[in-house]
Structures are given as structure tokens and as C-alpha cells.
Amino acid sequence: MTDPAALRPVTADEWPAFARSMLDVFGEEATGSFVEAPPATAELDRTLTLWDGDRVAATSGVYSRTLTAPGAVVPCAGVTWVTVSPTHRRRGVLTAIMRRQLTELHEQQREPVAALWAAEGGIYGRFGYAPAAVRGSLTGPTQRMAFRPGVDLGTGTVTPVDLDGFRAAAPRVHEALRRWVPGQLERDERWWERILRDPPDQRRGATPRRFVLHTEADGEVTGYAAFRVRARDLDDGDPDGTLLVDEVRGRGTPAYAALWRYLLDLDLVRTLEYPQGAADEPLRHLLADPRALHARPTDGLWLRLVDVDRALAARRYPAPVDLVVEVRDPFCPWNEGRWRWAGHPAGGYCGRTDLDPDLVVDADALAAAYLGGVSLATLQAAGRVAEVSPGAVTLAATALSWPVSPWCPDTF
């Protein structure tokens, strides 16, 4: 097994070797500015590398992020760049990386939760991560997406803008909305810069990214959309273009609906694709024919409770709860044991106790339910939660639920 102590952060001078090794494992071309120097979002002191002589054999990193949890914002370790060279597989390297990351987060009392995007679904469950937010992978024929009668489009206007105009207005809208949706991440200037990068070699035959803003009569910007169009003609010459949506956000129904009406009415477009849209995107409920919008939900953001007590105390709960939960967490033994968990709409509490448990739950199951998107009752049906006190699952599932489904459009 690999000793976690053998891992160390990468230096700025070593970055090109680090980046090339990582991109090679991901099967991506190791060229461009990312290879030449660390991006602005990189935190080199939070990276880990394993060296084999002068060659990088494993990589990982952590971003310092802020995650919206139900009723609160929580510091979150954004785990990224995790690779192990094929030459070092099945030697415990990935386990050592995960153990080192989580142990340092716990011992330094940093972020109470960690999150990642999983390249493969079978890797991270054994380290206590679980899918906690779903992406919708939305598609459909735009010609069938007429709105139902009575949809309020408001009196605002939707206007195309250039990149500078979008960057001046969109961050305020995002910041106003992201605190209401579990799973959302903050975006400072560095993250907006990353999100809006538009290298031609990654457009896959589509146009450069386009932008529109929704503006009220008083000049207030209340929504935005970012998208591309991929043109195509059928053999008979009829247009068959595809609308590729990156993001649509509106502060209220009129702004949201007006933005979508603009997008769906684009000329020469016949198909919508919105890979990162929410699984329960409100667009479906604007349509006269809800079947026109197809969803293929798949896992999005994966979550890990680094410290069960700090994580449960950090969020709020729509219904009062006061239970003893026994947590099973062999990978992070500091979470093992019984916790008195209490919560209400104003906050939460979690502390050690010797009382008999009302519930017994795996750490990854608790992580899955943390953002309110997975019911503890569903997890109980899968054998991931054991009810000791009758009715405890119902109480816990109700308390952990949230009116807004978790959604994270930001990959990292």
C-alpha cells in the first residue's frame, strides 16, 4: 500500500509535468496555457503528487469553494485533478490520496464537506462519497415547445450582448439566485473567467458562445442565458440546427420564461440540448406539451461529509428533528459512533452521545441525503439506513428534505 506521507504538493516549476501527467490519464491533449502555468483557480498548496523518479505517477487537487446547503452556505473542499498512472494502479495510491485529503481536512478543521465530479461511477463510493445532486441531460424538439396559455412573459426585454456586457451583469444575478439552490457554488472573478473560456478547439462544430440578458423597464438585469448553436441541414435542405444551452437563470417566472421563449424561437433550430440543466428544470412546467422535454437524469455533484457533526450543524431543516444517529464510517473513523442530531428552520446541532440510536446509517448514505435530493426512506429501502425507533426514518427524511432540488451546473 502507498504511504500517504509519500504524497506532496506540486511546485510552480513542476506544474507542466503535473498537468501533462493528468491530461494524459484523462486522454486529453496536453497543450495550451493550462500546461504552461497553473490556472488562476489552482491552489498549489492543496495539490498532491506521487513521483516515481522524475515522473509524475499520481495527481490530485483541492479548490476552496463555498457550497449552498439547505438554508445555508457551507465551506466545501472541491476535489479535482485526481489521476493515477496505469503504471501505479492497484497499489493503494488512490486510497492514500483520499485518506490524506480527508484526514487533513478533519485535523485542520477546514471544510466540513468535500465534493467532486466523478469520471467513473464506481470509484468514490468506497471513500464515503455519494451522488447528492442530479443533472438532467435535457433534450427535445423545439418545434413542440410551445408554452401553455397564460405564461407570464412580463414586460422586460431579452437582448443579445457581447462577452463584456454579459460579464458586467450576470454575476449579480447568479449571486442572488445561488443561495436558494442547494448544490450551487460561488463564482468569483477567477471562476467566471474559467466558465467563460471559449477555446475554438472545444466548440465541436458549434458557434462561439452567445449571451442574452433579461432587463426590466427600469434597467435592472433579472436574468441571463449562455448558449451555442450547431448548424446542420437535412438532405432535403431543411434546417436541423441544435440549440446547445450552457445556462439559463431568471429572477422570477417572467424573466425565466422570456429567456426560454427567446432561445426556443431561434431560427433554423430544431433540437434543444441542455446537458447541465436541473433534472426538475421548471421549463417542463411552462410547456403546453410537457412530453416535448426529455430528461435522462444522471449523477452530478458527489458529496462527502468530512465531519458529520460540523456538516449537520451547518445546514437548516424545514421540520424539527431530534434523533440519535449511529454513523458507520470505516474510512473516516472520527465519524464513527453515535451523534445526537437536532435541527429546525433556524439551524442545527450535532454532538457526541451515549444514548441508544434511533437510526443507523452509512456515511455515504448520509452524504447523499445532505442536500435534500435523496430521501432517507429510499436509502432505507436500499438497506443503507436501519430504523431502530419506529418512525425515525420518516422524521429524519422530512427534516433532511428541502423544497428546492439540489442542482450544480459548475463542473470542476
Side-chain angles (χ1 to χ4, degrees):
M1 296 292 288
T2 299
D3 181 358
L7 303 164
R8 66 170 177 81
V10 69
T11 67
D13 290 341
E14 295 168 336
W15 175 263
F18 177 98
R20 288 191 189 97
S21 174
M22 176 182 62
L23 293 172
D24 182 62
V25 174
F26 283 139
E28 299 179 19
E29 188 176 5
T31 59
S33 60
F34 180 82
V35 175
E36 296 166 2
T41 53
E43 301 175 48
L44 297 189
D45 62 322
R46 305 196 76 178
T47 61
L48 291 174
T49 57
L50 179 68
W51 290 81
D52 185 356
D54 60 355
R55 189 173 70 87
V56 176
T59 65
S60 72
V62 172
Y63 295 122
S64 303
R65 304 302 303 267
T66 301
L67 174 75
T68 300
V73 291
V74 180
C76 175
V79 176
T80 187
W81 302 335
V82 179
T83 68
V84 178
S85 171
T87 61
H88 285 68
R89 299 278 167 81
R90 290 173 289 280
R91 300 186 188 181
V93 176
L94 181 57
T95 298
I97 290 173
M98 295 288 105
R99 193 177 303 283
R100 171 81 172 264
Q101 284 181 341
L102 293 168
T103 299
E104 289 185 349
L105 291 173
H106 167 67
E107 291 180 346
Q108 298 170 11
Q109 290 289 282
R110 296 191 69 160
E111 295 91 346
V113 300
L116 54 78
W117 289 81
E120 296 182 66
I123 296 175
Y124 293 99
R126 65 183 186 271
F127 306 122
Y129 286 88
V134 174
R135 49 182 168 174
S137 300
L138 305 173
T139 62
T142 58
Q143 291 178 310
R144 288 178 55 192
M145 293 187 182
F147 283 178
R148 59 179 176 76
V151 171
D152 182 9
L153 299 179
T155 58
T157 57
V158 177
T159 308
V161 294
D162 61 14
L163 175 60
D164 290 339
F166 183 81
R167 288 199 62 170
R172 290 195 296 274
V173 176
H174 177 268
E175 183 62 20
L177 293 173
R178 63 109 176 168
R179 293 174 178 269
W180 298 99
V181 183
Q184 299 274 290
L185 298 165
E186 95 297 344
R187 298 176 183 171
D188 60 19
E189 288 187 10
R190 300 169 305 143
W191 285 99
W192 276 106
E193 181 69 28
R194 168 179 160 150
I195 289 167
L196 295 176
R197 282 202 311 262
D198 192 16
D201 61 353
Q202 295 183 16
R203 293 173 186 164
R204 299 182 180 180
T207 63
R209 189 179 283 114
R210 299 176 179 177
F211 309 100
V212 292
L213 298 177
H214 183 272
T215 308
E216 302 295 343
D218 61 2
E220 181 184 8
V221 176
T222 52
Y224 66 79
F227 64 98
R228 307 176 191 274
V229 173
R230 183 186 296 127
R232 177 176 178 265
D233 290 335
L234 298 174
D235 292 341
D236 60 6
D238 283 348
D240 190 36
T242 300
L243 169 65
L244 306 169
V245 175
D246 287 341
E247 190 174 12
V248 179
R249 305 302 297 271
R251 298 184 65 178
T253 299
Y256 178 82
L259 286 163
W260 272 114
R261 194 66 269 155
Y262 175 94
L263 296 175
L264 296 172
D265 288 344
L266 288 171
D267 289 336
L268 311 182
V269 166
R270 297 295 180 265
T271 303
L272 162 69
E273 293 184 7
Y274 189 9
Q276 293 295 115
D280 61 348
E281 190 72 34
L283 172 61
R284 182 185 306 280
H285 304 286
L286 295 176
L287 301 178
D289 178 4
R291 292 183 182 178
L293 186 64
H294 308 292
R296 296 183 61 187
T298 186
D299 58 278
L301 193 70
W302 288 57
L303 203 68
R304 212 295 177 197
L305 304 191
V306 177
D307 290 311
V308 165
D309 54 341
R310 292 195 297 143
L312 291 177
R315 59 156 285 179
R316 298 184 179 186
Y317 302 90
V321 63
D322 192 343
L323 297 170
V324 174
V325 179
E326 182 173 322
V327 176
R328 298 179 295 209
D329 192 354
F331 196 75
C332 292
W334 55 83
N335 285 327
E336 289 265 5
R338 298 175 183 178
W339 302 89
R340 182 189 171 195
W341 163 47
H344 46 75
Y349 163 81
C350 187
R352 289 282 184 188
T353 183
D354 293 326
L355 297 175
D356 292 337
D358 300 298
L359 294 171
V360 180
V361 59
D362 295 334
D364 59 338
L366 198 55
Y370 183 74
L371 295 180
V374 180
S375 170
L376 276 191
T378 300
L379 294 164
Q380 180 192 26
R384 310 309 303 276
V385 178
E387 183 177 70
V388 180
S389 299
V393 166
T394 297
L395 291 172
T398 302
L400 285 166
S401 66
W402 197 249
V404 180
S405 297
W407 170 47
C408 182
D410 296 5
T411 58
F412 53 84

CSV table of all heavy atoms in Angstrom, one decimal, residues 360-405:
chain,number,residue,atom,x,y,z
A,360,VAL,N,-29.4,3.9,12.2
A,360,VAL,CA,-28.1,3.6,11.9
A,360,VAL,C,-27.9,3.8,10.4
A,360,VAL,O,-28.7,3.3,9.6
A,360,VAL,CB,-27.8,2.1,12.3
A,360,VAL,CG1,-26.3,1.7,11.9
A,360,VAL,CG2,-28.1,1.8,13.7
A,361,VAL,N,-26.9,4.6,10.0
A,361,VAL,CA,-26.8,5.0,8.6
A,361,VAL,C,-25.3,5.0,8.2
A,361,VAL,O,-24.4,5.3,9.0
A,361,VAL,CB,-27.4,6.4,8.5
A,361,VAL,CG1,-26.7,7.4,9.4
A,361,VAL,CG2,-27.3,6.9,7.0
A,362,ASP,N,-25.1,4.6,6.9
A,362,ASP,CA,-23.7,4.7,6.3
A,362,ASP,C,-23.4,6.1,6.0
A,362,ASP,O,-24.3,6.9,5.7
A,362,ASP,CB,-23.7,3.9,5.0
A,362,ASP,CG,-23.9,2.4,5.2
A,362,ASP,OD1,-23.6,1.9,6.3
A,362,ASP,OD2,-24.3,1.7,4.3
A,363,ALA,N,-22.1,6.5,6.1
A,363,ALA,CA,-21.7,7.8,5.9
A,363,ALA,C,-22.0,8.3,4.5
A,363,ALA,O,-22.4,9.5,4.3
A,363,ALA,CB,-20.2,8.0,6.2
A,364,ASP,N,-21.9,7.4,3.5
A,364,ASP,CA,-22.2,7.9,2.1
A,364,ASP,C,-23.7,8.0,1.9
A,364,ASP,O,-24.1,8.9,1.2
A,364,ASP,CB,-21.6,6.9,1.1
A,364,ASP,CG,-22.1,5.5,1.3
A,364,ASP,OD1,-22.5,5.1,2.4
A,364,ASP,OD2,-22.0,4.7,0.3
A,365,ALA,N,-24.5,7.3,2.6
A,365,ALA,CA,-25.9,7.5,2.5
A,365,ALA,C,-26.3,8.8,3.1
A,365,ALA,O,-27.2,9.6,2.6
A,365,ALA,CB,-26.7,6.4,3.2
A,366,LEU,N,-25.7,9.2,4.2
A,366,LEU,CA,-26.0,10.5,4.8
A,366,LEU,C,-25.5,11.6,3.9
A,366,LEU,O,-26.2,12.7,3.8
A,366,LEU,CB,-25.3,10.6,6.2
A,366,LEU,CG,-25.7,11.6,7.2
A,366,LEU,CD1,-27.2,11.5,7.5
A,366,LEU,CD2,-24.9,11.6,8.5
A,367,ALA,N,-24.4,11.4,3.2
A,367,ALA,CA,-23.9,12.4,2.3
A,367,ALA,C,-24.9,12.6,1.1
A,367,ALA,O,-25.2,13.7,0.6
A,367,ALA,CB,-22.6,12.0,1.7
A,368,ALA,N,-25.5,11.5,0.6
A,368,ALA,CA,-26.5,11.5,-0.5
A,368,ALA,C,-27.7,12.3,-0.1
A,368,ALA,O,-28.2,13.1,-0.9
A,368,ALA,CB,-26.9,10.1,-0.9
A,369,ALA,N,-28.1,12.2,1.2
A,369,ALA,CA,-29.3,12.9,1.6
A,369,ALA,C,-29.0,14.4,2.1
A,369,ALA,O,-30.0,15.1,2.3
A,369,ALA,CB,-29.9,12.2,2.8
A,370,TYR,N,-27.8,14.8,2.2
A,370,TYR,CA,-27.4,16.0,2.9
A,370,TYR,C,-28.0,17.2,2.2
A,370,TYR,O,-28.4,18.2,2.8
A,370,TYR,CB,-25.9,16.1,3.0
A,370,TYR,CG,-25.4,17.4,3.7
A,370,TYR,CD1,-25.5,17.4,5.1
A,370,TYR,CD2,-24.9,18.4,3.0
A,370,TYR,CE1,-25.1,18.6,5.8
A,370,TYR,CE2,-24.5,19.6,3.7
A,370,TYR,CZ,-24.6,19.6,5.1
A,370,TYR,OH,-24.1,20.8,5.7
A,371,LEU,N,-28.0,17.3,0.8
A,371,LEU,CA,-28.5,18.4,0.1
A,371,LEU,C,-30.0,18.4,-0.1
A,371,LEU,O,-30.6,19.3,-0.7
A,371,LEU,CB,-27.8,18.6,-1.2
A,371,LEU,CG,-26.3,18.8,-1.1
A,371,LEU,CD1,-25.7,19.0,-2.5
A,371,LEU,CD2,-26.0,20.1,-0.3
A,372,GLY,N,-30.7,17.3,0.3
A,372,GLY,CA,-32.2,17.3,0.2
A,372,GLY,C,-32.7,16.6,-1.0
A,372,GLY,O,-33.9,16.6,-1.3
A,373,GLY,N,-31.8,16.0,-1.8
A,373,GLY,CA,-32.2,15.5,-3.1
A,373,GLY,C,-32.5,14.0,-3.1
A,373,GLY,O,-33.1,13.5,-4.0
A,374,VAL,N,-32.1,13.3,-2.0
A,374,VAL,CA,-32.3,11.8,-1.9
A,374,VAL,C,-33.0,11.6,-0.5
A,374,VAL,O,-32.5,12.0,0.5
A,374,VAL,CB,-31.0,11.0,-2.0
A,374,VAL,CG1,-31.2,9.5,-1.8
A,374,VAL,CG2,-30.3,11.3,-3.3
A,375,SER,N,-34.1,10.9,-0.5
A,375,SER,CA,-34.8,10.6,0.7
A,375,SER,C,-34.1,9.5,1.5
A,375,SER,O,-33.7,8.5,0.9
A,375,SER,CB,-36.2,10.2,0.4
A,375,SER,OG,-36.9,9.8,1.5
A,376,LEU,N,-34.1,9.7,2.8
A,376,LEU,CA,-33.6,8.6,3.7
A,376,LEU,C,-34.5,7.3,3.6
A,376,LEU,O,-34.0,6.2,3.8
A,376,LEU,CB,-33.5,9.0,5.1
A,376,LEU,CG,-32.3,9.8,5.6
A,376,LEU,CD1,-32.3,9.9,7.1
A,376,LEU,CD2,-31.0,9.1,5.1
A,377,ALA,N,-35.8,7.6,3.2
A,377,ALA,CA,-36.7,6.4,3.1
A,377,ALA,C,-36.2,5.6,1.9
A,377,ALA,O,-36.3,4.3,1.9
A,377,ALA,CB,-38.1,6.9,2.9
A,378,THR,N,-35.8,6.2,0.8
A,378,THR,CA,-35.3,5.5,-0.4
A,378,THR,C,-34.0,4.7,0.0
A,378,THR,O,-33.8,3.6,-0.4
A,378,THR,CB,-35.0,6.5,-1.5
A,378,THR,OG1,-36.2,7.1,-1.9
A,378,THR,CG2,-34.5,5.7,-2.7
A,379,LEU,N,-33.2,5.4,0.8
A,379,LEU,CA,-31.9,4.7,1.2
A,379,LEU,C,-32.2,3.6,2.1
A,379,LEU,O,-31.5,2.6,2.1
A,379,LEU,CB,-31.0,5.8,1.8
A,379,LEU,CG,-30.5,6.9,0.9
A,379,LEU,CD1,-30.0,8.1,1.6
A,379,LEU,CD2,-29.5,6.3,-0.1
A,380,GLN,N,-33.2,3.7,3.0
A,380,GLN,CA,-33.6,2.6,3.8
A,380,GLN,C,-34.1,1.4,3.0
A,380,GLN,O,-33.7,0.3,3.3
A,380,GLN,CB,-34.8,3.0,4.8
A,380,GLN,CG,-35.2,1.9,5.7
A,380,GLN,CD,-36.5,2.3,6.4
A,380,GLN,OE1,-37.3,3.0,5.9
A,380,GLN,NE2,-36.8,1.7,7.6
A,381,ALA,N,-34.8,1.7,1.9
A,381,ALA,CA,-35.3,0.6,1.1
A,381,ALA,C,-34.1,-0.1,0.4
A,381,ALA,O,-34.2,-1.3,0.1
A,381,ALA,CB,-36.2,1.1,0.0
A,382,ALA,N,-33.0,0.6,0.2
A,382,ALA,CA,-31.8,0.0,-0.4
A,382,ALA,C,-30.9,-0.6,0.7
A,382,ALA,O,-29.8,-1.1,0.4
A,382,ALA,CB,-31.0,1.1,-1.1
A,383,GLY,N,-31.3,-0.6,1.9
A,383,GLY,CA,-30.5,-1.2,3.0
A,383,GLY,C,-29.4,-0.4,3.5
A,383,GLY,O,-28.5,-0.8,4.2
A,384,ARG,N,-29.4,0.9,3.2
A,384,ARG,CA,-28.3,1.8,3.6
A,384,ARG,C,-28.7,2.5,4.9
A,384,ARG,O,-27.8,3.2,5.5
A,384,ARG,CB,-28.1,2.9,2.6
A,384,ARG,CG,-27.9,2.4,1.1
A,384,ARG,CD,-26.9,1.2,1.1
A,384,ARG,NE,-25.6,1.6,1.6
A,384,ARG,CZ,-24.7,2.3,0.9
A,384,ARG,NH1,-24.9,2.6,-0.4
A,384,ARG,NH2,-23.5,2.6,1.4
A,385,VAL,N,-29.9,2.4,5.4
A,385,VAL,CA,-30.3,3.0,6.6
A,385,VAL,C,-31.1,2.0,7.4
A,385,VAL,O,-32.0,1.3,6.8
A,385,VAL,CB,-31.2,4.3,6.4
A,385,VAL,CG1,-31.7,4.8,7.7
A,385,VAL,CG2,-30.5,5.3,5.6
A,386,ALA,N,-30.9,1.8,8.7
A,386,ALA,CA,-31.6,0.9,9.5
A,386,ALA,C,-32.4,1.7,10.6
A,386,ALA,O,-31.8,2.6,11.3
A,386,ALA,CB,-30.7,-0.1,10.2
A,387,GLU,N,-33.7,1.5,10.7
A,387,GLU,CA,-34.5,2.2,11.6
A,387,GLU,C,-34.6,1.4,12.9
A,387,GLU,O,-35.0,0.2,12.9
A,387,GLU,CB,-35.9,2.4,11.0
A,387,GLU,CG,-36.8,3.2,11.9
A,387,GLU,CD,-38.2,3.5,11.3
A,387,GLU,OE1,-38.9,2.5,11.1
A,387,GLU,OE2,-38.4,4.6,10.9
A,388,VAL,N,-34.2,2.0,14.0
A,388,VAL,CA,-34.3,1.4,15.3
A,388,VAL,C,-35.5,1.8,16.0
A,388,VAL,O,-36.3,1.0,16.6
A,388,VAL,CB,-33.0,1.7,16.2
A,388,VAL,CG1,-33.1,1.0,17.5
A,388,VAL,CG2,-31.7,1.3,15.4
A,389,SER,N,-35.8,3.1,16.1
A,389,SER,CA,-37.0,3.6,16.7
A,389,SER,C,-38.1,3.8,15.6
A,389,SER,O,-37.8,4.5,14.6
A,389,SER,CB,-36.7,5.0,17.4
A,389,SER,OG,-35.8,4.9,18.4
A,390,PRO,N,-39.3,3.2,15.8
A,390,PRO,CA,-40.3,3.4,14.8
A,390,PRO,C,-40.6,4.8,14.5
A,390,PRO,O,-40.7,5.7,15.3
A,390,PRO,CB,-41.5,2.7,15.5
A,390,PRO,CG,-40.9,1.7,16.4
A,390,PRO,CD,-39.7,2.4,16.9
A,391,GLY,N,-40.7,5.1,13.2
A,391,GLY,CA,-41.0,6.5,12.7
A,391,GLY,C,-39.8,7.3,12.5
A,391,GLY,O,-39.9,8.5,12.0
A,392,ALA,N,-38.6,6.9,13.0
A,392,ALA,CA,-37.4,7.7,12.9
A,392,ALA,C,-37.0,8.1,11.5
A,392,ALA,O,-36.5,9.2,11.2
A,392,ALA,CB,-36.2,7.0,13.6
A,393,VAL,N,-37.2,7.1,10.5
A,393,VAL,CA,-36.8,7.4,9.1
A,393,VAL,C,-37.7,8.5,8.6
A,393,VAL,O,-37.3,9.4,7.9
A,393,VAL,CB,-36.9,6.1,8.3
A,393,VAL,CG1,-36.9,6.5,6.8
A,393,VAL,CG2,-35.7,5.2,8.6
A,394,THR,N,-39.0,8.4,8.9
A,394,THR,CA,-39.9,9.5,8.4
A,394,THR,C,-39.5,10.8,8.9
A,394,THR,O,-39.5,11.8,8.2
A,394,THR,CB,-41.4,9.1,8.8
A,394,THR,OG1,-41.8,7.9,8.2
A,394,THR,CG2,-42.3,10.2,8.4
A,395,LEU,N,-39.2,10.9,10.3
A,395,LEU,CA,-38.8,12.2,10.8
A,395,LEU,C,-37.5,12.7,10.2
A,395,LEU,O,-37.4,13.9,9.8
A,395,LEU,CB,-38.6,12.0,12.4
A,395,LEU,CG,-39.9,11.8,13.2
A,395,LEU,CD1,-39.5,11.5,14.6
A,395,LEU,CD2,-40.8,13.0,13.1
A,396,ALA,N,-36.5,11.8,10.1
A,396,ALA,CA,-35.3,12.2,9.5
A,396,ALA,C,-35.4,12.6,8.0
A,396,ALA,O,-34.8,13.6,7.6
A,396,ALA,CB,-34.2,11.1,9.7
A,397,ALA,N,-36.1,11.8,7.3
A,397,ALA,CA,-36.3,12.1,5.9
A,397,ALA,C,-37.0,13.5,5.7
A,397,ALA,O,-36.6,14.3,4.8
A,397,ALA,CB,-37.0,11.0,5.2
A,398,THR,N,-38.0,13.7,6.5
A,398,THR,CA,-38.7,15.0,6.4
A,398,THR,C,-37.8,16.2,6.7
A,398,THR,O,-37.8,17.2,6.0
A,398,THR,CB,-39.9,15.0,7.3
A,398,THR,OG1,-40.8,13.9,6.9
A,398,THR,CG2,-40.7,16.3,7.2
A,399,ALA,N,-37.0,16.0,7.8
A,399,ALA,CA,-36.1,17.1,8.2
A,399,ALA,C,-35.0,17.4,7.1
A,399,ALA,O,-34.6,18.5,6.9
A,399,ALA,CB,-35.5,16.8,9.5
A,400,LEU,N,-34.5,16.3,6.5
A,400,LEU,CA,-33.4,16.5,5.5
A,400,LEU,C,-33.9,17.0,4.2
A,400,LEU,O,-33.1,17.4,3.3
A,400,LEU,CB,-32.7,15.2,5.4
A,400,LEU,CG,-31.7,14.8,6.5
A,400,LEU,CD1,-31.3,13.3,6.4
A,400,LEU,CD2,-30.5,15.7,6.6
A,401,SER,N,-35.2,16.9,3.9
A,401,SER,CA,-35.7,17.3,2.6
A,401,SER,C,-35.6,18.8,2.5
A,401,SER,O,-35.3,19.6,3.4
A,401,SER,CB,-37.2,16.9,2.5
A,401,SER,OG,-38.0,17.6,3.4
A,402,TRP,N,-35.8,19.3,1.3
A,402,TRP,CA,-35.8,20.8,1.0
A,402,TRP,C,-36.7,21.1,-0.2
A,402,TRP,O,-36.8,20.2,-1.1
A,402,TRP,CB,-34.4,21.2,0.7
A,402,TRP,CG,-34.2,22.7,0.9
A,402,TRP,CD1,-33.9,23.6,-0.1
A,402,TRP,CD2,-34.2,23.5,2.1
A,402,TRP,NE1,-33.8,24.9,0.4
A,402,TRP,CE2,-34.0,24.8,1.7
A,402,TRP,CE3,-34.4,23.1,3.4
A,402,TRP,CZ2,-34.0,25.8,2.7
A,402,TRP,CZ3,-34.4,24.1,4.4
A,402,TRP,CH2,-34.2,25.5,4.0
A,403,PRO,N,-37.4,22.2,-0.2
A,403,PRO,CA,-38.3,22.5,-1.3
A,403,PRO,C,-37.7,22.6,-2.6
A,403,PRO,O,-38.4,22.3,-3.6
A,403,PRO,CB,-39.0,23.8,-0.8
A,403,PRO,CG,-38.7,23.9,0.6
A,403,PRO,CD,-37.4,23.2,0.9
A,404,VAL,N,-36.4,23.0,-2.7
A,404,VAL,CA,-35.7,23.1,-4.0
A,404,VAL,C,-34.8,22.0,-4.2
A,404,VAL,O,-33.9,21.7,-3.3
A,404,VAL,CB,-35.0,24.5,-4.0
A,404,VAL,CG1,-34.3,24.6,-5.4
A,404,VAL,CG2,-35.9,25.6,-3.8
A,405,SER,N,-34.9,21.3,-5.3
A,405,SER,CA,-34.0,20.1,-5.5
A,405,SER,C,-32.5,20.6,-5.7
A,405,SER,O,-32.3,21.7,-6.4
A,405,SER,CB,-34.4,19.4,-6.8
A,405,SER,OG,-35.7,18.8,-6.5
